[in-house]
Amino acid sequence: MSGICGLNIKLSIFGESHGKSIGLILDGLPPGIALDLEQIQLELDRRAPGKNALSTQRKESDIFEVQSGFFNGYTTGTPLCAIIKNGDQHSKDYSILADKMRPGHADYAGFVRYQGFNDYRGGGHFSGRITAPLVIAGAIAKQALAQQGIVVGAHILSIGDIKEENFNPLGVEDALLAELAKKSFAVMDDSLGESMQEKILAAKAECNSVGGVIETIVQHVPAGIGAPYFDSVESRLSQALFSVPAVKAVEFGDGFDITRLTGATANDQLHYVDDKVVGYSNHNGGITGGITNSMPVVFRVGIKPTPSISQEQRTISLKEHKDTTLTIVGRHDPCIVQRAVPVIEAVTAWTIWDLLLEAKKWER
Amino acid sequence: MSGICGLNIKLSIFGESHGKSIGLILDGLPPGIALDLEQIQLELDRRAPGKNALSTQRKESDIFEVQSGFFNGYTTGTPLCAIIKNGDQHSKDYSILADKMRPGHADYAGFVRYQGFNDYRGGGHFSGRITAPLVIAGAIAKQALAQQGIVVGAHILSIGDIKEENFNPLGVEDALLAELAKKSFAVMDDSLGESMQEKILAAKAECNSVGGVIETIVQHVPAGIGAPYFDSVESRLSQALFSVPAVKAVEFGDGFDITRLTGATANDQLHYVDDKVVGYSNHNGGITGGITNSMPVVFRVGIKPTPSISQEQRTISLKEHKDTTLTIVGRHDPCIVQRAVPVIEAVTAWTIWDLLLEAKKWER
Amino acid sequence: MSGICGLNIKLSIFGESHGKSIGLILDGLPPGIALDLEQIQLELDRRAPGKNALSTQRKESDIFEVQSGFFNGYTTGTPLCAIIKNGDQHSKDYSILADKMRPGHADYAGFVRYQGFNDYRGGGHFSGRITAPLVIAGAIAKQALAQQGIVVGAHILSIGDIKEENFNPLGVEDALLAELAKKSFAVMDDSLGESMQEKILAAKAECNSVGGVIETIVQHVPAGIGAPYFDSVESRLSQALFSVPAVKAVEFGDGFDITRLTGATANDQLHYVDDKVVGYSNHNGGITGGITNSMPVVFRVGIKPTPSISQEQRTISLKEHKDTTLTIVGRHDPCIVQRAVPVIEAVTAWTIWDLLLEAKKWER
Amino acid sequence: MSGICGLNIKLSIFGESHGKSIGLILDGLPPGIALDLEQIQLELDRRAPGKNALSTQRKESDIFEVQSGFFNGYTTGTPLCAIIKNGDQHSKDYSILADKMRPGHADYAGFVRYQGFNDYRGGGHFSGRITAPLVIAGAIAKQALAQQGIVVGAHILSIGDIKEENFNPLGVEDALLAELAKKSFAVMDDSLGESMQEKILAAKAECNSVGGVIETIVQHVPAGIGAPYFDSVESRLSQALFSVPAVKAVEFGDGFDITRLTGATANDQLHYVDDKVVGYSNHNGGITGGITNSMPVVFRVGIKPTPSISQEQRTISLKEHKDTTLTIVGRHDPCIVQRAVPVIEAVTAWTIWDLLLEAKKWER
């Protein structure tokens, strides 16, 4: 395996950056979900590169085409396939990538895993471009969740050491999340966002790159979703989140900080508000025992600096079987955090929807 | 689902703390693995409570009995079931747990998920006791991995704000890991360990609890294990790690700290050493593109303070449908980090073995 | 894999005939299903040997014990484990089974599959005894189905060339199915049943064995269960049915006979009866396009003669690596068809329940 | 679920007959399998309609295009997606299919399952056209199997009551199988094949249809493939075989006939031939205990008469909620047995390959 995931809505992705197309199958989609295709395209556009100086100037035509499973405006319940055709690729010579392994990239690990047979052009199946199908899956999930009143939102919490405020773990205005989704650089504090963008451009000027942290919140999730152990909300979400390239850390609620609290503080004490059980606090990020507890689901992911940098780096030559150096040429993202925001939201929405269906089996 | 996981070696766990027994089935174990049953019992003993003042004084009889799948000293290749009988339980009245939801625990989330039918005595299926079957699975995996030269080890990196040195990400002596496994409090620096234990006892004296961080290293894993996306090593490990109760954060390599580096530093540049491809550094924790890259696999998990504390806490009464307070009585762990060490090692060993079998399918 | 199956209720079985115990885990059982444990024991008793001259005189103590997942009379929603302890086994020498491969048995195939490490005593994991856990799963499923008005029943359609009437594919009286379930030899026509039993005893007298066909009907299944392709009702049922040892053939509706009809006859034409869509006929056995269509689900399985016979047979000696002969000693079933009836019903009930939960996800 | 299957090579299919395209993803394909794309097209051509009077005159352009997972002549090890574009469809009015349910078809069952949202045009996802992706999967599997010396072949055993000889269960010449694969009507005895074709044409002339039986053999499969219970070779193959539309019966070895033998005859006695363990007979169709035993794997599937016939039939009108009649117009296959041959071979090849990879995990 590698490209299939999900308990009830199986997501199967495929594609290489220089192949004919990339895409996905969603198997297990309930029938009768009204889908707004333009909204899906808008989500894809959020991820697309080439919009400003912060990202690679490559123009990718992320136009998706539904192949099946959608009829007269609604999901049919049969497998939904959507593809994104890859544009005509430069006849550029990529053979250097089959020889010199780029540091920080999957090149060497992938070479061993695929015994040298993988498509190395543009990173092949490891290309960040393969996250576009994830965005399609998430855009569909978001529409289904919205029909149940559930909202997924995210913001760039930090770029390098520039950090803005955390979301309020007790919940934020849905309008704020809608506003963030419209921004090309999703921060709450735009002046801080300016500083972050300057940091990115400074890294770019130095042929270098930077990373950052994305914080996500899922609001209005009912209590009782998830399960203890292997299908805990944390387990299912983290599996999906770590499948997004460059994610190296995931924490829920207070995350690593909770290890420095005492139980008396970390425990979210409970009370009734308007007949609903809620916490006075939300240090646990809306999940206890692996199951949602009615509070917002809150988590953060750490994203490493883009490994593609134009500085000379030490590496190996497989062909010559010796140490060498490599200077990567071409246009690269000096930071992928801002483009990863819709991807993180997408895998979150899809996972939460999948778990909602799991709980639905037991409805009386 | 909830209690089944794995691609090739399916681990299925069951049990409630006050039921007849707890246990597991391992389906897909290769035949012909020589198993030292005493070694499995030793791993269980590492997790068992009641050994000193740091943990609950409850005595649990964690004696496991293999039911199937083991014959003449070797795994048979058929499903291996092992059970641990629960001791005679106190005729104590647990009904308060069906009414007043303990803050920080799964009580309320579980009540909704299981529609009020779950066994609430001693936490039922959510009890930390259910990690004992995970330790059995891990102990078997460790023996299989050892036969391939792969070693899993861990240490307590921090308790509250007392923190010892990280493992050297380039690798440590296997002997150090063996030594740590023998310690009842697994730290490299025992004098720092004393301070940590004092902190735990101080929390206990105040009817409070503390958390901490465990760091794990897997040495001598070959390159090429794992896959991009949903079966990335990070995805599979994090799914397993977050299934351990109280884990709220997982990070690989430099984790959240890598987000503050630049690409020039974060990229692990490569060279040949003794004909093997290795990194000059290991900021990526041995995994690039979701696949092992020949460097040690290094990660940390954050464990929250034990939610069971004997202070009065605000909560709700389900029966009276109103706010109330609860003071939990009984013997509890003021810290579970030290007991979680063998559990974290166990799910790590089992996951890595599972991924090794995945790679074996493609061997030529 | 091998011992785990199911989309929503994962059934995981384990055990060897001469191990400590055999049993199962059911993961994904909905909470709140009232279970009558005595009824489960009655189903196990239907399968148990030693009741009359038709089956082996071995006495097996098929007393099951629930370990988890059941509390105060109801399923909890957490994994349900049940085990059946194996009685003290004869200190008999089984080593001949590790050397001389019994014809018609799994001995040689299993030896290769398990590389010689499997427990060969009494057939080990291949023993028909391992169907007892299937009966437990089915007995639980039957109770859940009964609460939805769905009834599973079966009869011995033939023993050798003695054949009774088929069930009426349009449906039979539920009372008939209840009556059949009480019979130790489940035929509708008891005088024909006498002839069948004589045939079995005649085979026994000749140290030989016979096979037969079991016909099953599932009544009152709603339309819309199942899916086209890999999760068709036929696909899911046949996977489960062929997992029962000795089953070599499965056919739905008219089965092989439908291949000799024309479309004009084979098509089940439709009409409304009491506002329900029903067929004028049921050549398709209640399934079209892999999905139930409101008609009873009807199928037949062919069961081969017991391979254990006491006649001398030609076989090989693995140790001496040469041809030899073998005369199996001990007490064996001259026919297992009558004991297989509750097993076939069991896997049917469990599969149908699993598919009902699948459909429940999409309820509005 | 519905459209995903497989233990190690996950096959995921999608498509509707009147959608944009149909296709598949194969996830888990080993890297480095040399693929002859023309050979895949030839297999698709075997299934394609419109070649002669025996099948529908619809011309379908079954030209497949690989999208990913194939590079420089070899599989890459990453997901392989292939699609077949649907031709421009007639602007024909299909709305009658949303109202009047065709007897023998999935129409009514599918309407309930998909809550009326499925694409009803031309049968939608239930269309026999969706078997084309199965043929692609099988064509790839056949090439991989051939590289290991394993051969899959099939013939039309019967059309209605005209039946030719069974394959010799001890094995046939590989050349015969190669010859059968080239025939447009795959029978060993061509004069009998003439009679069968006349029967089909006679049915066509009467606006009727006929069914038949296909017999398959897999030669040179090593012993030790498969497992007892749910992943038995019979279980895995039958799940795949029953996913082929119109299959209503599957039997292995002697199948239903074995129920009329005695154990003394049915048991395949063993001996060494050229140092290989083989049976004197093959009543068990190469599988004992769910595992291959070195003999050829032999089985038969029963295929019902095409439900699309142009005679008037009684059915219901969903819109008017009353009984009515329907006369299906258009071009249909009077028999699909001959076109099903490559489909049956395909799912067989893919399943056997999948099980071979399962066994590979345990290689030493």
Side-chain angles (χ1 to χ4, degrees):
Chain A
M1 287 225 290
S2 79
I4 301 186
C5 195
L7 294 173
N8 300 292
I9 302 176
K10 301 271 178 187
L11 167 57
S12 186
I13 60 173
F14 71 88
E16 275 88 35
S17 63
H18 286 61
K20 215 155 194 173
S21 72
I22 62 176
L24 79 159
I25 299 177
L26 284 166
D27 191 299
L29 280 190
I33 309 283
L35 289 186
D36 177 343
L37 300 188
E38 283 180 30
Q39 190 58 42
I40 298 173
Q41 190 60 54
L42 284 177
E43 291 282 339
L44 278 171
D45 294 346
R46 288 176 70 199
R47 195 208 71 89
K51 287 177 301 195
N52 54 40
L54 296 175
S55 72
T56 170
Q57 293 307 296
R58 273 177 289 117
K59 285 283 180 193
E60 290 173 0
S61 56
D62 278 1
I63 308 299
F64 80 105
E65 301 168 19
V66 174
Q67 306 295 305
S68 65
F70 182 70
F71 183 54
N72 287 342
Y74 293 89
T75 57
T76 57
T78 58
L80 185 152
C81 175
I83 66 172
I84 297 173
K85 285 185 188 141
N86 285 325
D88 284 336
Q89 308 293 346
H90 299 288
S91 56
K92 186 175 148 186
D93 182 8
Y94 279 98
S95 61
I96 193 174
L97 294 183
D99 175 25
K100 294 188 176 183
M101 306 288 95
R102 292 170 302 168
H105 271 286
D107 295 13
Y108 177 65
F111 169 81
V112 179
R113 173 68 174 147
Y114 297 112
Q115 305 171 354
F117 289 99
N118 57 313
D119 183 350
Y120 47 76
R121 296 170 300 168
H125 186 54
F126 292 95
S127 166
R129 181 162 169 73
I130 310 308
T131 59
L134 300 179
V135 171
I136 295 174
I140 292 171
K142 277 182 183 179
Q143 295 187 32
L145 292 180
Q147 290 165 25
Q148 301 176 56
I150 299 168
V151 179
V152 176
H155 71 122
I156 301 168
L157 183 65
S158 65
I159 294 294
D161 51 11
I162 307 179
K163 178 178 178 305
E164 79 165 341
E165 289 297 299
N166 283 31
F167 276 141
N168 181 348
L170 297 175
V172 298
E173 295 294 317
D174 289 346
L176 170 64
L177 302 181
E179 199 187 317
L180 283 166
K182 285 186 195 132
K183 293 186 178 183
S184 66
F185 198 85
V187 286
M188 295 185 284
D189 177 343
D190 287 329
S191 69
L192 210 58
E194 294 284 324
S195 308
M196 291 175 179
Q197 295 178 58
E198 279 161 24
K199 191 171 186 81
I200 295 170
L201 293 172
K204 185 183 180 184
E206 291 166 7
C207 299
N208 210 338
S209 64
V210 288
V213 175
I214 294 169
E215 188 179 49
T216 307
I217 194 164
V218 191
Q219 304 207 119
H220 319 303
V221 190
I225 307 306
Y229 308 103
F230 311 117
D231 291 333
S232 73
V233 178
E234 291 109 327
S235 286
R236 300 300 311 180
L237 271 175
S238 67
Q239 182 184 17
L241 293 165
F242 278 118
S243 72
V244 178
V247 170
K248 297 300 284 187
V250 171
E251 61 177 13
F252 293 87
D254 286 4
F256 280 106
D257 284 348
I258 206 171
T259 70
R260 287 186 291 274
L261 301 182
T262 66
T265 311
N267 286 348
D268 298 309
Q269 301 187 33
L270 302 173
H271 60 144
Y272 281 104
V273 174
D274 297 338
D275 225 48
K276 192 185 160 193
V277 177
V278 297
Y280 286 98
S281 57
N282 189 17
H283 298 287
N284 284 280
I287 307 162
T288 32
I291 302 175
T292 55
N293 59 19
S294 89
M295 299 301 288
V297 171
V298 183
F299 60 87
R300 283 166 299 286
V301 301
I303 293 182
K304 72 177 185 178
T306 326
S308 288
I309 56 173
S310 313
Q311 299 181 17
E312 184 182 88
Q313 296 179 91
R314 290 167 297 174
T315 190
I316 54 154
S317 159
L318 285 175
K319 281 184 193 150
E320 301 187 24
H321 198 78
K322 66 169 197 187
D323 296 348
T324 183
T325 61
L326 169 69
T327 304
I328 304 172
V329 293
R331 302 159 297 176
H332 303 103
D333 290 288
C335 180
I336 55 160
V337 178
Q338 70 279 12
R339 291 182 59 203
V341 170
V343 181
I344 296 298
E345 287 177 21
V347 298
T348 302
W350 163 66
T351 302
I352 294 292
W353 191 22
D354 192 42
L355 290 173
L356 279 162
L357 288 182
E358 187 71 13
K360 207 156 167 17
K361 290 182 214 168
W362 290 1
E363 273 180 16
R364 278 151 181 279
Chain B
M1 286 225 291
S2 78
I4 302 185
C5 194
L7 294 173
N8 300 294
I9 302 176
K10 302 271 178 189
L11 168 56
S12 186
I13 60 173
F14 70 88
E16 275 87 36
S17 62
H18 286 60
K20 215 153 194 174
S21 71
I22 62 175
L24 79 159
I25 300 177
L26 284 166
D27 192 300
L29 282 189
I33 309 284
L35 289 186
D36 177 342
L37 300 188
E38 283 180 32
Q39 190 58 42
I40 298 173
Q41 190 60 54
L42 284 176
E43 290 284 338
L44 278 171
D45 294 346
R46 288 176 70 199
R47 195 209 70 91
K51 286 175 302 194
N52 54 39
L54 295 177
S55 72
T56 171
Q57 291 307 296
R58 274 178 287 117
K59 285 281 181 193
E60 291 173 359
S61 56
D62 279 2
I63 308 299
F64 80 105
E65 299 168 20
V66 173
Q67 305 296 305
S68 65
F70 181 71
F71 184 55
N72 287 342
Y74 293 89
T75 58
T76 57
T78 59
L80 185 152
C81 174
I83 66 172
I84 298 173
K85 284 184 189 140
N86 285 326
D88 285 334
Q89 306 293 344
H90 299 287
S91 56
K92 187 175 149 187
D93 182 8
Y94 280 98
S95 61
I96 195 174
L97 294 182
D99 175 25
K100 295 189 176 183
M101 306 286 95
R102 291 170 302 167
H105 270 287
D107 295 12
Y108 177 65
F111 170 82
V112 179
R113 173 67 174 147
Y114 297 113
Q115 307 171 353
F117 288 99
N118 56 314
D119 183 351
Y120 46 76
R121 296 170 301 169
H125 186 54
F126 293 95
S127 167
R129 182 161 168 73
I130 311 307
T131 58
L134 300 179
V135 171
I136 296 174
I140 293 171
K142 277 182 184 177
Q143 295 187 33
L145 292 180
Q147 290 165 26
Q148 301 176 55
I150 299 169
V151 180
V152 176
H155 71 121
I156 301 168
L157 184 65
S158 65
I159 295 293
D161 50 11
I162 307 178
K163 179 178 179 304
E164 78 164 343
E165 290 297 299
N166 284 28
F167 276 141
N168 181 348
L170 296 175
V172 297
E173 294 296 317
D174 290 345
L176 169 63
L177 301 180
E179 198 187 318
L180 282 166
K182 285 186 196 134
K183 294 186 179 183
S184 65
F185 198 85
V187 287
M188 293 185 285
D189 177 341
D190 288 328
S191 68
L192 210 58
E194 294 284 323
S195 308
M196 291 175 179
Q197 295 179 58
E198 280 161 22
K199 191 171 187 81
I200 294 171
L201 292 172
K204 184 183 181 184
E206 292 167 7
C207 300
N208 210 339
S209 64
V210 289
V213 175
I214 294 169
E215 188 178 51
T216 307
I217 193 165
V218 191
Q219 304 207 121
H220 319 304
V221 190
I225 307 304
Y229 309 104
F230 311 117
D231 292 333
S232 74
V233 178
E234 291 110 327
S235 286
R236 300 301 310 180
L237 271 176
S238 67
Q239 181 185 17
L241 293 166
F242 278 118
S243 72
V244 178
V247 170
K248 298 300 284 185
V250 171
E251 61 177 14
F252 293 88
D254 286 3
F256 281 106
D257 284 347
I258 206 172
T259 70
R260 288 185 290 274
L261 301 181
T262 66
T265 312
N267 286 347
D268 299 311
Q269 301 187 34
L270 302 173
H271 60 146
Y272 281 104
V273 174
D274 295 338
D275 224 47
K276 193 184 160 193
V277 176
V278 296
Y280 286 99
S281 56
N282 189 17
H283 298 287
N284 284 280
I287 308 162
T288 32
I291 302 173
T292 55
N293 60 20
S294 90
M295 299 301 286
V297 171
V298 182
F299 60 88
R300 282 167 298 285
V301 300
I303 293 182
K304 72 176 184 179
T306 326
S308 288
I309 56 173
S310 313
Q311 299 181 16
E312 185 184 87
Q313 297 180 88
R314 290 168 296 174
T315 190
I316 53 154
S317 160
L318 284 175
K319 281 183 193 150
E320 301 186 24
H321 199 78
K322 65 169 197 187
D323 295 350
T324 183
T325 61
L326 169 69
T327 304
I328 304 171
V329 293
R331 301 159 298 178
H332 303 106
D333 290 287
C335 181
I336 56 160
V337 177
Q338 71 280 12
R339 291 181 58 202
V341 170
V343 181
I344 295 298
E345 287 178 22
V347 298
T348 302
W350 164 65
T351 303
I352 294 292
W353 191 21
D354 192 42
L355 291 172
L356 278 163
L357 287 181
E358 187 71 14
K360 207 155 167 21
K361 291 182 212 167
W362 291 0
E363 273 180 15
R364 279 151 181 279
Chain C
M1 286 225 290
S2 77
I4 301 186
C5 194
L7 295 173
N8 300 292
I9 301 176
K10 302 271 179 188
L11 167 56
S12 186
I13 59 173
F14 71 88
E16 275 88 35
S17 63
H18 286 59
K20 216 155 194 172
S21 72
I22 62 175
L24 78 160
I25 300 178
L26 284 166
D27 191 299
L29 280 190
I33 309 284
L35 290 186
D36 177 343
L37 300 188
E38 283 179 32
Q39 190 57 43
I40 298 174
Q41 189 60 54
L42 284 176
E43 291 283 338
L44 278 171
D45 294 347
R46 289 176 70 198
R47 195 209 70 89
K51 287 177 301 194
N52 53 40
L54 296 176
S55 71
T56 169
Q57 292 308 296
R58 274 178 288 116
K59 285 282 178 192
E60 290 173 359
S61 56
D62 278 1
I63 308 299
F64 81 105
E65 300 168 20
V66 174
Q67 305 295 304
S68 65
F70 181 71
F71 184 53
N72 287 341
Y74 293 88
T75 57
T76 57
T78 58
L80 186 151
C81 175
I83 67 171
I84 297 173
K85 284 184 189 141
N86 284 326
D88 285 333
Q89 307 293 345
H90 299 287
S91 56
K92 186 175 149 188
D93 182 8
Y94 279 99
S95 61
I96 195 174
L97 294 182
D99 175 27
K100 294 189 176 182
M101 306 287 96
R102 291 170 302 168
H105 270 287
D107 295 12
Y108 177 65
F111 170 82
V112 179
R113 173 66 174 148
Y114 297 112
Q115 306 170 355
F117 288 100
N118 57 314
D119 183 351
Y120 46 76
R121 296 170 301 168
H125 186 54
F126 293 95
S127 166
R129 182 161 169 72
I130 310 308
T131 58
L134 300 179
V135 171
I136 296 174
I140 292 171
K142 278 183 183 177
Q143 294 188 33
L145 292 180
Q147 291 165 25
Q148 301 175 55
I150 299 168
V151 180
V152 176
H155 71 122
I156 301 168
L157 183 65
S158 64
I159 294 293
D161 51 10
I162 308 178
K163 178 177 178 304
E164 79 165 340
E165 289 298 300
N166 282 31
F167 276 141
N168 181 347
L170 297 174
V172 298
E173 295 295 316
D174 289 347
L176 170 63
L177 302 180
E179 198 188 318
L180 283 166
K182 285 186 196 132
K183 293 186 178 181
S184 65
F185 198 86
V187 286
M188 295 185 285
D189 178 342
D190 287 330
S191 69
L192 210 58
E194 295 283 322
S195 308
M196 291 176 179
Q197 295 179 57
E198 279 160 24
K199 190 170 186 82
I200 296 170
L201 293 172
K204 185 183 179 184
E206 291 166 9
C207 300
N208 210 340
S209 64
V210 289
V213 175
I214 294 169
E215 187 179 50
T216 308
I217 193 165
V218 191
Q219 304 207 122
H220 319 304
V221 190
I225 307 304
Y229 307 104
F230 311 117
D231 292 333
S232 74
V233 178
E234 292 109 327
S235 286
R236 299 301 309 180
L237 271 175
S238 68
Q239 182 185 17
L241 292 165
F242 277 118
S243 72
V244 178
V247 170
K248 297 301 284 187
V250 172
E251 61 177 12
F252 294 87
D254 286 3
F256 280 106
D257 284 348
I258 206 172
T259 71
R260 288 185 289 274
L261 301 182
T262 66
T265 310
N267 287 348
D268 299 310
Q269 302 187 33
L270 301 173
H271 61 143
Y272 280 104
V273 174
D274 296 339
D275 225 47
K276 193 185 159 192
V277 177
V278 296
Y280 286 98
S281 56
N282 189 17
H283 298 287
N284 285 279
I287 308 161
T288 32
I291 302 175
T292 56
N293 60 19
S294 89
M295 298 302 287
V297 171
V298 182
F299 60 88
R300 281 167 299 286
V301 300
I303 294 182
K304 73 177 186 180
T306 326
S308 288
I309 57 173
S310 312
Q311 298 181 18
E312 185 183 88
Q313 297 179 88
R314 290 167 297 174
T315 190
I316 54 155
S317 159
L318 285 175
K319 282 185 193 147
E320 301 187 25
H321 199 78
K322 67 169 197 188
D323 297 349
T324 183
T325 61
L326 169 69
T327 304
I328 304 172
V329 292
R331 300 159 298 177
H332 303 104
D333 291 287
C335 180
I336 56 161
V337 177
Q338 71 279 14
R339 290 182 60 202
V341 170
V343 180
I344 296 298
E345 287 178 23
V347 299
T348 302
W350 164 65
T351 303
I352 295 291
W353 192 21
D354 192 42
L355 291 172
L356 278 163
L357 287 181
E358 187 71 14
K360 206 154 166 25
K361 290 182 213 166
W362 291 0
E363 273 179 17
R364 281 154 179 274
Chain D
M1 286 225 290
S2 78
I4 302 186
C5 195
L7 294 173
N8 301 293
I9 302 175
K10 302 271 178 188
L11 167 57
S12 186
I13 60 173
F14 71 88
E16 275 87 36
S17 62
H18 286 60
K20 214 154 194 172
S21 72
I22 62 175
L24 79 160
I25 300 177
L26 284 166
D27 191 299
L29 281 190
I33 308 284
L35 289 186
D36 177 342
L37 299 188
E38 283 180 32
Q39 190 57 41
I40 298 174
Q41 190 60 54
L42 284 176
E43 290 284 338
L44 278 171
D45 294 347
R46 288 177 69 199
R47 196 209 69 89
K51 288 176 301 196
N52 54 39
L54 295 176
S55 71
T56 170
Q57 292 307 297
R58 276 178 286 119
K59 283 283 180 194
E60 291 173 359
S61 56
D62 279 1
I63 307 300
F64 80 106
E65 300 168 20
V66 174
Q67 305 295 305
S68 65
F70 181 72
F71 184 54
N72 287 342
Y74 293 88
T75 57
T76 57
T78 59
L80 185 152
C81 174
I83 67 172
I84 297 173
K85 284 185 189 141
N86 284 327
D88 285 333
Q89 307 293 345
H90 300 287
S91 56
K92 186 175 149 188
D93 182 8
Y94 279 98
S95 60
I96 195 174
L97 294 182
D99 175 26
K100 295 189 176 183
M101 306 287 95
R102 293 171 300 168
H105 270 286
D107 295 11
Y108 177 65
F111 170 81
V112 178
R113 172 68 175 148
Y114 297 113
Q115 306 171 354
F117 288 100
N118 57 312
D119 184 350
Y120 47 76
R121 296 170 301 169
H125 186 54
F126 293 94
S127 166
R129 180 160 169 74
I130 311 307
T131 58
L134 300 179
V135 171
I136 295 174
I140 292 171
K142 277 183 184 176
Q143 295 187 32
L145 292 180
Q147 290 165 25
Q148 301 175 55
I150 299 169
V151 179
V152 176
H155 71 121
I156 301 168
L157 183 65
S158 65
I159 295 293
D161 50 11
I162 307 178
K163 178 176 179 306
E164 79 164 341
E165 289 297 300
N166 283 29
F167 277 141
N168 182 348
L170 297 175
V172 297
E173 294 294 317
D174 290 346
L176 170 63
L177 302 180
E179 198 188 319
L180 282 166
K182 284 186 197 133
K183 293 186 179 182
S184 65
F185 197 86
V187 286
M188 294 185 285
D189 177 342
D190 288 329
S191 69
L192 210 58
E194 294 284 323
S195 308
M196 292 176 179
Q197 295 179 58
E198 279 160 24
K199 190 169 188 81
I200 295 171
L201 293 173
K204 185 183 181 184
E206 293 165 8
C207 300
N208 209 339
S209 64
V210 289
V213 175
I214 294 170
E215 188 178 50
T216 308
I217 194 165
V218 191
Q219 304 207 120
H220 319 304
V221 190
I225 307 304
Y229 308 103
F230 311 117
D231 292 333
S232 74
V233 177
E234 292 109 327
S235 287
R236 300 302 310 180
L237 271 176
S238 68
Q239 182 184 17
L241 293 165
F242 278 117
S243 73
V244 178
V247 170
K248 297 301 284 186
V250 171
E251 61 177 12
F252 293 87
D254 286 4
F256 280 105
D257 283 347
I258 206 173
T259 71
R260 288 186 289 274
L261 301 182
T262 65
T265 313
N267 287 348
D268 299 309
Q269 301 188 33
L270 302 173
H271 60 146
Y272 281 104
V273 174
D274 296 339
D275 225 45
K276 193 185 159 193
V277 177
V278 297
Y280 286 98
S281 56
N282 189 16
H283 298 287
N284 285 280
I287 308 162
T288 32
I291 302 173
T292 55
N293 60 20
S294 90
M295 299 301 287
V297 171
V298 182
F299 60 87
R300 283 166 298 285
V301 300
I303 293 181
K304 73 177 185 179
T306 326
S308 289
I309 56 173
S310 313
Q311 299 182 17
E312 184 183 85
Q313 297 180 89
R314 291 167 296 173
T315 191
I316 53 155
S317 160
L318 284 175
K319 281 182 193 151
E320 302 186 24
H321 198 78
K322 65 169 198 187
D323 295 349
T324 184
T325 61
L326 169 69
T327 304
I328 305 171
V329 292
R331 301 159 296 178
H332 303 104
D333 291 287
C335 180
I336 57 161
V337 177
Q338 71 281 12
R339 292 181 58 202
V341 170
V343 180
I344 295 298
E345 286 178 21
V347 299
T348 302
W350 165 65
T351 303
I352 295 291
W353 192 21
D354 192 42
L355 291 172
L356 279 163
L357 287 181
E358 187 71 14
K360 207 155 165 24
K361 292 182 211 167
W362 290 0
E363 272 179 16
R364 279 153 181 276

